């Protein structure tokens, strides 16, 4: 049985009767950039997140950098984020001219370790940017307590966490502002590039609306040097159709995670859930001693997997200017060698989950029986 990593065509076909007319309406009105569909989605997504404002933009990366820019963060400032994240989190900090400072993650959750923050804070620190990695909220309570003490801001990189909850409160409304990505494979995905910022600060929301549109609040009147980072009308229409389904899709992911946990062999461990956190499983990530061989075994059986992420930020060639070295963030480095993301999407069937778990179990039992020699076996097979 083939098990894809995710199945976007299945989702489209289930929604086709709603999606096609919504796109057609944009075509017929030619509201291609911003427009009524984007405005409606902004209202609906703000309400979904429990935030006062949502501003639609053209990617999660733009959302992150606009959030920092709108708070006046730039050259000479430091922003602390976590070593275990997608590259864009760091790019956004660098794009605004600020200096990225990294802290390591926690081994059991892969989330920012709040205990390491005090040591990373300097007089130049303006904000902490935790990442709700894999769809689980970072420890916002602990992070915010430290930030308050030092008078610095906290922003959520919620690009993987649409609908995730922390003590019942939804991601996007937990801190001083949040950035979301609607990249097609995310829990809420557009049919192209899209992203959004949520905030409770009316002045910041106004500034972001201006900055995303050439620093202009009224056509051809430019109050600031801005950017072209607006959301497309078609993306607003697609997201507006999809949003009412998100809760149901997230619940399906939660149910799949539970099934995975009950069926996976004890030799592999799944990422743990923090007390008070209700993840949405953008990714279902396991840890295993012989990751590369397990991945090859699954690939050979037609099961697609991923690694999020194989090379930590601080060891990327693009980051040589920051002076980080091997050993700086040991937990992130260790996880990069052990983590494997298993197939996870709402439309997944129990039979597919069983197939994945059987394949993992067959690998682990051979590995146990041969004292860890399975790597060579798989390669020669
Ligand atoms: C996807 C993602 C981004 C970037 O979003 P884009 O829409 O691809 O620009 C940023 N941070 C994290 C953690 C992400 O997963």
């Amino acid at each position: 049985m083939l098990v894809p990593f995710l199945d976007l065509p299945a989702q489209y076909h289930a929604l086709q009767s709603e999606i096609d007319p919504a796109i057609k309406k944009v075509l017929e009105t030619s509201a291609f950039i911003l427009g009524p569909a984007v405005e409606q989605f902004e209202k609906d997504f703000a309400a979904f997140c429990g935030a006062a404002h949502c501003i639609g933009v053209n990617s999660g990366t733009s959302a992150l950098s606009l959030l920092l820019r709108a708070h006046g963060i730039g050259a000479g400032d430091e922003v602390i984020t976590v070593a275990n994240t997608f590259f864009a989190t760091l790019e956004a900090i660098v794009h605004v001219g600020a200096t990225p400072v990294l802290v390591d993650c926690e081994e059991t959750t892969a989330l920012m370790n709040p205990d390491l923050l005090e040591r990373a804070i300097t007089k130049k620190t303006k904000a902490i940017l935790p990442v709700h990695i894999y769809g689980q909220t970072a420890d916002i309570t602990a992070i915010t307590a430290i930030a308050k003490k030092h008078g610095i801001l906290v922003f959520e990189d919620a690009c993987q966490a649409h609908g995730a909850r922390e003590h019942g409160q939804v991601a996007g409304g937990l801190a001083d502002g949040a950035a979301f990505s609607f990249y097609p494979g995310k829990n809420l995905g557009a049919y192209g590039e899209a992203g959004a910022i949520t905030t409770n600060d009316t002045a910041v929301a106004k500034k972001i609306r201006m900055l995303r549109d050439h620093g202009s609040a009224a056509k051809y009147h430019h109050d600031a040097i801005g950017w072209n980072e607006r959301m497309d009308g078609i993306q607003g229409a697609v997201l507006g159709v999809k949003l009412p389904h998100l809760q149901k899709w997230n619940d399906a992911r939660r149910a799949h995670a539970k099934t995975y946990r009950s069926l996976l062999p004890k030799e592999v461990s799944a990422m743990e859930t923090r007390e008070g956190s209700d993840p949405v499983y953008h990714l279902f990530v396991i840890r295993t001693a012989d990751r590369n061989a397990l991945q090859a075994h699954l690939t050979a059986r037609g099961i697609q997997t991923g690694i999020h992420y194989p090379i930590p930020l601080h060891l990327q060639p693009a980051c040589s200017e920051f002076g980080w070295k091997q050993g700086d963030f040991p937990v992130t480095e260790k996880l990069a060698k052990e983590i494997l993301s298993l197939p996870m999407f709402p439309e997944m069937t129990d039979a597919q989950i069983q197939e994945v778990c059987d394949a993992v179990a067959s690998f682990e039992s051979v590995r146990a029986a041969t004292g860890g020699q399975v790597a060579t076996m798989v390669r020669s097979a």
Side-chain angles (χ1 to χ4, degrees):
M1 185 197 301
L2 297 179
V3 186
F5 190 64
L6 78 175
D7 192 348
L8 294 180
Q11 196 188 60
Y12 169 62
H13 289 127
L15 292 183
Q16 192 167 6
S17 65
E18 292 179 72
I19 293 271
D20 289 5
I23 292 178
K24 194 159 179 244
K25 195 168 165 192
V26 176
L27 298 180
E28 280 170 352
T29 57
S30 294
F32 293 122
I33 294 164
L34 298 176
V38 171
E39 277 167 37
Q40 187 61 50
F41 172 71
E42 288 176 334
K43 285 198 186 83
D44 295 345
F45 196 65
F48 177 85
C49 294
H53 308 278
C54 167
I55 305 99
V57 295
N58 63 350
S59 75
T61 310
S62 300
L64 283 164
S65 58
L66 281 170
L67 187 57
L68 298 175
R69 279 164 180 155
H71 284 87
I73 294 169
D77 299 332
E78 291 176 359
V79 177
I80 302 173
T81 191
V82 58
N84 182 49
T85 183
F86 178 57
F87 196 63
T89 316
L90 177 136
E91 272 181 315
I93 298 169
V94 178
H95 282 160
V96 303
T99 303
V101 174
L102 300 180
V103 296
D104 212 346
C105 64
E106 288 179 308
E107 188 161 344
T108 52
T109 61
L111 291 160
M112 174 181 274
N113 184 346
D115 296 341
L116 302 172
L117 284 171
E118 290 279 4
R119 252 173 291 164
I121 293 171
T122 73
K123 285 195 176 62
K124 294 180 177 173
T125 309
K126 285 284 151 48
I128 306 173
L129 178 54
V131 181
H132 302 324
I133 202 81
Y134 312 146
Q136 170 163 221
T137 49
D139 191 348
I140 289 288
T141 310
I143 294 166
T144 305
I146 296 163
K148 278 222 169 82
K149 209 172 101 188
H150 293 269
I152 57 185
L153 298 163
V154 178
F155 301 122
E156 307 166 63
D157 182 336
C159 288
Q160 300 189 359
H162 321 70
R165 283 189 292 258
E166 176 77 11
H167 296 292
Q169 267 193 291
V170 182
L174 304 175
D176 295 300
F180 288 88
S181 166
F182 306 118
Y183 180 80
K186 301 288 164 91
N187 289 31
L188 180 62
Y191 287 171
E193 303 277 5
I197 298 112
T198 54
T199 175
N200 289 322
D201 187 324
T202 304
V204 165
K206 202 175 156 197
K207 196 162 179 193
I208 294 173
R209 282 185 193 286
M210 188 182 80
L211 290 176
R212 76 171 169 183
D213 192 12
H214 302 290
S216 164
K219 205 161 189 172
Y220 304 130
H221 291 260
H222 303 275
D223 298 315
I225 303 293
W227 287 266
N228 176 359
E229 297 184 334
R230 300 166 300 216
M231 184 187 277
D232 282 353
I234 286 178
Q235 305 314 335
V238 167
L239 291 167
V241 169
K242 283 190 170 195
L243 181 58
H245 298 274
L246 178 58
Q247 193 72 50
K248 166 186 78 190
W249 290 332
N250 282 344
D251 286 343
R253 288 173 183 269
R254 289 181 178 116
H256 298 337
K258 209 171 157 193
T259 308
Y260 263 131
R261 287 186 203 279
S262 71
L263 296 178
L264 281 168
K266 63 180 186 326
E267 291 84 0
V268 303
S269 60
M271 285 298 160
E272 290 175 16
T273 305
R274 288 183 38 253
E275 179 81 43
S277 182
D278 187 10
V280 290
Y281 298 97
H282 171 57
L283 297 167
F284 189 80
V285 177
I286 60 165
R287 291 173 62 192
T288 176
D290 206 351
R291 191 269 314 278
N292 290 348
L294 173 59
Q295 186 176 39
H297 175 78
L298 296 178
T299 305
R301 286 190 49 161
I303 297 165
Q304 292 178 353
T305 58
I307 300 168
H308 302 88
Y309 297 88
I311 305 169
L313 296 189
H314 65 288
L315 302 177
Q316 294 286 352
C319 290
S320 58
E321 65 175 292
F322 302 110
W324 293 310
K325 58 185 186 310
Q326 187 92 39
D328 281 354
F329 306 102
V331 179
T332 298
E333 290 171 26
K334 182 168 185 238
L335 288 181
K337 293 192 182 79
E338 297 180 356
I339 49 178
L340 187 66
S341 306
L342 299 180
M344 173 56 88
F345 51 96
E347 300 78 11
M348 229 182 150
T349 64
D350 282 348
Q352 286 176 313
I353 301 173
Q354 183 76 57
E355 171 76 8
V356 177
C357 294
D358 287 349
V360 173
S362 72
F363 175 84
E364 293 298 340
S365 65
V366 172
R367 202 168 74 85
T370 58
Q373 291 310 299
V374 75
T376 24
M377 287 186 24
V378 168
R379 252 177 248 126
S380 56

